[in-house]
Amino acid sequence: MTKNLLSSAAFAGLIAGLIAALLQFVFVIPLLLEGELYETGARLHFVVDGTAQSDKGAPDLGGEWGRHLMTVGFNIVTYVGYGLLIIVAMGLARDRTGTTISAKNGLIWGICGFIAVQLAPAAGLPPELPGTPAAELAPRQIWWISTIVVTALGLAIIAFTDAVWKQAIGLVLILVPHLIGAPHLDTYYGVAPPELSAEFATLSMGVAMVGWATLGYFCGHFFASGEEA
């Protein structure tokens, strides 16, 4: 049983991590590199001919193979870890509630993981380009972790309880961090164009959703296959 759990998470995490890394190299990393130009001062915002515009265009990925390999490795390790959490949750749900695990409903598990770990925290603390000013790190980390925990708990209550009042409690738990609010600065300012920041945040979330959906699908697939073997 343990071997099945570990191997399912490892294979699913490997596949999801590679797919997420590929999508990041195509869509996200070019924007990240462009943001670094503004962070270092190599490119400035609002200084082209005295108008409210700046040059657009990401630099080439270049030959920083060590950095790129670390990106791939980090994605694989991260998604394997997430895969372990999903597989364990699937096993608990199957044993305690009789939930059937398959590749199809694995997609739902993956999307719920995306909501809890990526989307809910991003509603208060969206992905930011390098050099973007932000509030102190410790309060943001506390809010971020708390949001993940209560969102995951709230989703579980909604999914695995039948009583409406219990599901209402789950919904309230999901809303609580956002009613409290994430830590933010009192002013707006940054070094990069807001259009670039918005595109970076949007594509980062889109890639994360694909990664999580892929992870959930293959977690369900390998979990169910291991049970049948």
Side-chain angles (χ1 to χ4, degrees), residues 46-104:
F46 291 157
V47 295
V48 178
D49 299 327
T51 62
Q53 62 180 350
S54 54
D55 294 330
K56 181 178 181 181
D60 295 332
L61 293 179
E64 299 182 72
W65 297 110
R67 178 180 181 178
H68 299 331
L69 287 174
M70 286 182 62
T71 297
V72 175
F74 178 79
N75 272 280
I76 292 173
V77 171
T78 300
Y79 277 101
V80 168
Y82 288 151
L84 283 170
L85 294 176
I86 290 180
I87 288 291
V88 170
M90 285 179 170
L92 289 173
R94 183 203 59 184
D95 294 341
R96 297 189 178 185
T97 66
T99 301
T100 301
I101 305 300
S102 66
K104 288 184 178 180

Side-chain angles (χ1 to χ4, degrees), residues 24-189:
Q24 287 174 0
F25 280 115
V26 175
F27 297 107
V28 178
I29 292 179
L31 300 177
L32 184 67
L33 295 177
E34 188 173 357
E36 289 178 350
L37 295 177
Y38 291 95
E39 179 188 23
T40 61
R43 186 179 293 173
L44 300 176
H45 187 39
F46 291 157
V47 295
V48 178
D49 299 327
T51 62
Q53 62 180 350
S54 54
D55 294 330
K56 181 178 181 181
D60 295 332
L61 293 179
E64 299 182 72
W65 297 110
R67 178 180 181 178
H68 299 331
L69 287 174
M70 286 182 62
T71 297
V72 175
F74 178 79
N75 272 280
I76 292 173
V77 171
T78 300
Y79 277 101
V80 168
Y82 288 151
L84 283 170
L85 294 176
I86 290 180
I87 288 291
V88 170
M90 285 179 170
L92 289 173
R94 183 203 59 184
D95 294 341
R96 297 189 178 185
T97 66
T99 301
T100 301
I101 305 300
S102 66
K104 288 184 178 180
N105 62 31
L107 278 172
I108 299 175
W109 282 87
I111 292 173
C112 286
F114 165 74
I115 292 172
V117 179
Q118 306 276 173
L119 184 60
L125 297 172
E128 296 176 338
L129 287 169
T132 302
E136 292 185 11
L137 180 61
R140 287 187 291 135
Q141 288 179 326
I142 293 172
W143 186 90
W144 184 79
I145 294 172
S146 301
T147 299
I148 292 175
V149 172
V150 298
T151 302
L153 180 60
L155 289 173
I157 292 173
I158 292 172
F160 298 112
T161 59
D162 295 326
V164 174
W165 67 270
K166 291 182 180 180
Q167 293 177 341
I169 291 175
L171 179 60
V172 170
L173 284 174
I174 294 173
L175 293 176
V176 164
H178 307 285
L179 295 176
I180 295 173
H184 286 290
L185 297 174
D186 295 330
T187 57
Y188 293 112
Y189 65 94

Side-chain angles (χ1 to χ4, degrees), residues 185-204:
L185 297 174
D186 295 330
T187 57
Y188 293 112
Y189 65 94
V191 296
E195 296 88 350
L196 178 61
S197 297
E199 187 176 4
F200 175 76
T202 302
L203 289 176
S204 295

Side-chain angles (χ1 to χ4, degrees), residues 4 7-9 11-12 15 86-87 90 100-107 109 213-229:
N4 177 38
S7 61
S8 297
F11 285 124
I15 295 170
I86 290 180
I87 288 291
M90 285 179 170
T100 301
I101 305 300
S102 66
K104 288 184 178 180
N105 62 31
L107 278 172
W109 282 87
T214 302
L215 179 66
Y217 177 88
F218 282 105
C219 279
H221 170 74
F222 290 124
F223 187 95
S225 298
E227 293 297 303
E228 294 173 358

